[in-house]
Amino acid sequence: MARLNYLELPVTDIAGAKAFYAAAFDWTFADFGPSYAATTTGDTDLGFQADPAEATAAALPVIEVDDIEAVAAKVRAAGGVITVPIFTFPGGRRFHFQDLAGHELAVMQTGD
């Protein structure tokens, strides 16, 4: 079955993007030249593209977590802005936030 296994986001500050996601989600990144960095977990990975000539359209990725309240607090502490507070949907709970580059993402926790 097909599944999303990678998402690339255009950024203007790779160091800032890496610092934000490391602080909010404990992720680590590998540098692939001066204008590209990415996670390399082998699962669904995230790449940052800082070359304006290679920029792609924005998307809304959803990040699954075990403790949504703790992650919301970490997102705020890392400088993110919660744009949609935690809400319930069939299958779990979710919130939306903007990262330091203005990308909107969602965080979800499965369960009742």
Side-chain angles (χ1 to χ4, degrees):
M1 172 180 272
R3 67 179 180 90
L4 175 67
N5 69 353
Y6 195 83
L7 180 67
E8 183 176 283
L9 298 176
V11 299
T12 56
D13 176 9
I14 284 183
K18 289 177 4 181
F20 173 83
Y21 285 94
F25 299 104
D26 300 321
W27 291 347
T28 59
F29 294 84
D31 294 322
F32 297 96
S35 64
Y36 204 91
T39 61
T40 56
T41 64
D43 197 353
T44 303
D45 286 309
L46 180 66
F48 299 127
Q49 175 59 266
D51 182 346
E54 298 293 328
T56 59
L60 177 67
V62 179
I63 302 164
E64 186 174 352
V65 301
D66 292 328
D67 185 341
I68 198 165
E69 285 84 5
V71 171
K74 290 175 77 173
V75 165
R76 283 187 197 99
V81 176
I82 305 296
T83 58
V84 178
I86 296 172
F87 65 94
T88 302
F89 69 95
R93 297 183 305 144
R94 182 167 124 174
F95 72 88
H96 294 201
F97 70 93
Q98 280 188 338
D99 69 8
L100 302 179
H103 297 291
E104 186 165 8
L105 294 92
V107 173
M108 69 166 283
Q109 180 178 339
T110 60
D112 298 336

